[in-house]
Amino acid sequence: DSGVTQTPKHLITATGQRVTLRCSPRSGDLSVYWYQQSLDQGLQFLIQYYNGEERAKGNILERFSAQQFPDLHSELNLSSLELGDSALYFCASSVATGGPSSYNEQFFGPGTRLTVL
Amino acid sequence: AQSVTQLDSHVSVSEGTPVLLRCNYSSSYSPSLFWYVQHPNKGLQLLLKYTSAATLVKGINGFEAEFKKSETSFHLTKPSAHMSDAAEYFCVVSLFSGGYNKLIFGAGTRLAVHP
């Protein structure tokens, strides 16, 4: 158990809909990262938040957005869903002081499996 | 640019035989490297990490990896495979750029272990 929790575990929805995925980081971790894992694209970094502020963006679509709240939990919002958005969405957290500490490993949650029909 | 190449998409071994999962990286400076494992329908778990201390890194469950700068490799090994090792393994390089830490994942190697 990494200490990172994600809800829900599974989500089935229809095209055009909007969903929200939730992540609670490990106690004491200030950074939250979101990843998408699909069969054709592999693991892709979407976005990072550090202590409530957006820190970095990866391959995140404009239809997707995220935020990190004062209690450090994070939500990933996916809107106007398409069939191709079906994937496993992972949240990870790290201590990440924000400096060049690239050895700060990330701890991953169990993921949310999104199926768009 | 930093990148990671996992040389085998699938590896199949018999229980009790050695495991070798190959990874090459490309980095313009001394990298931090990780191996993560993903069991079916589970999240990613850190196996081990290299952070420029010892070049031979020991991880959990009997895995180890050796950082070889001259070969730009970070291969993962285990002397004796167990059925529970069947999973997908990701070699990862970390870089600090633009004020944040970013992980770059390899495509993954699926390890099958046969009785």
Side-chain angles (χ1 to χ4, degrees):
Chain A
D1 184 359
S2 67
V4 178
T5 59
Q6 288 186 250
T7 56
K9 207 169 181 179
H10 300 276
L11 202 47
I12 300 174
T13 188
T15 54
Q17 295 298 304
R18 173 190 169 95
V19 297
T20 298
L21 313 183
R22 183 189 167 102
C23 167
S24 292
R26 292 188 322 155
S27 176
D29 284 357
L30 299 178
S31 266
V32 168
Y33 308 77
W34 286 97
Y35 293 86
Q36 180 193 60
Q37 185 180 36
S38 61
L39 282 174
D40 53 344
Q41 302 268 12
L43 257 164
Q44 297 222 61
F45 166 69
L46 295 178
I47 197 164
Q48 178 201 0
Y49 275 81
Y50 173 70
N51 204 20
E53 292 187 4
E54 182 185 303
R55 180 58 66 96
K57 267 187 175 179
N59 301 322
I60 188 166
L61 300 171
E62 284 191 14
R63 300 184 285 109
F64 296 179
S65 65
Q67 53 185 326
Q68 186 179 27
F69 294 87
D71 67 352
L72 300 177
H73 91 269
S74 178
E75 292 181 356
L76 179 67
N77 301 296
L78 314 177
S79 61
S80 303
L81 285 167
E82 301 175 359
L83 295 177
D85 298 327
S86 296
L88 256 175
Y89 290 84
F90 287 108
C91 166
S93 74
S94 72
V95 171
T97 60
S101 304
S102 59
Y103 54 84
N104 280 335
E105 64 266 32
Q106 295 177 19
F107 295 87
F108 284 77
T112 293
R113 183 171 292 281
L114 173 66
T115 302
V116 182
L117 301 175
Chain B
Q2 281 72 23
S3 67
V4 177
T5 303
Q6 291 185 244
L7 299 167
D8 307 291
S9 58
H10 291 84
V11 170
S12 182
V13 300
S14 298
E15 191 175 20
T17 64
V19 175
L20 169 63
L21 305 183
R22 299 182 296 165
C23 172
N24 285 111
Y25 69 90
S26 169
S27 177
S28 54
Y29 53 85
S30 188
S32 292
L33 294 159
F34 307 84
W35 276 98
Y36 281 84
V37 60
Q38 184 180 23
H39 287 92
N41 299 314
K42 300 279 187 186
L44 283 82
Q45 181 185 18
L46 180 68
L47 273 180
L48 51 80
K49 65 181 180 182
Y50 166 74
T51 58
S52 75
T55 55
L56 183 63
V57 182
K58 293 189 185 299
I60 61 171
N61 301 334
F63 284 95
E64 60 183 40
E66 186 171 8
F67 174 72
K68 290 187 176 180
K69 188 174 180 179
S70 60
E71 299 176 11
T72 60
S73 69
F74 190 57
H75 300 335
L76 182 70
T77 60
K78 183 173 180 178
S80 176
H82 193 271
M83 297 295 290
S84 61
D85 294 327
E88 184 134 25
Y89 292 79
F90 293 94
C91 182
V92 183
V93 63
S94 174
L95 67 91
F96 181 76
S97 173
Y100 74 99
N101 298 314
K102 180 180 177 181
L103 295 187
I104 300 172
F105 285 80
T109 298
R110 187 167 297 277
L111 175 66
V113 182
H114 302 288

